[in-house]
Amino acid sequence: MQTSHVNPTLLRFQIPDFASLSHERGNFVEPRPIRILNKSWHLRVYPRGHGMSRTDKTLVSCFLSASDEEL
């Protein structure tokens, strides 16, 4: 079995004034995608939790996806 060594990549998205967002549970913020290694990386953040999140706590849900789409 052959293993490859991959250098980690830091993905940094900016969400201005995140602490003051008034989004309700299930609503999301989507900062601009970034392009790394010929992929567009998209972040979707639910400041009060995704619709499928637990209801007994306030959670922040994050989903990261990559696509071959142009920015």
Side-chain angles (χ1 to χ4, degrees):
M1 182 166 90
Q2 188 174 7
T3 60
S4 64
H5 297 280
V6 177
N7 292 330
T9 300
L10 173 65
L11 302 177
R12 183 174 293 179
F13 295 87
Q14 293 184 352
I15 302 174
D17 203 16
F18 182 80
S20 298
L21 293 176
S22 61
H23 289 61
E24 295 181 15
R25 185 172 173 268
N27 292 333
F28 63 88
V29 175
E30 197 169 51
R32 291 182 52 197
I34 58 177
R35 188 143 185 96
I36 297 176
L37 301 174
N38 295 322
K39 298 276 186 193
S40 293
W41 294 85
H42 306 265
L43 179 67
R44 186 172 279 187
V45 179
Y46 294 78
R48 305 291 176 262
H50 185 269
M52 301 294 288
S53 297
R54 295 170 54 164
T55 57
D56 61 333
K57 294 185 178 188
T58 300
L59 304 171
V60 175
S61 300
C62 301
F63 298 90
L64 180 65
S65 63
S67 69
D68 292 324
E69 297 175 10
E70 291 295 320
L71 294 177

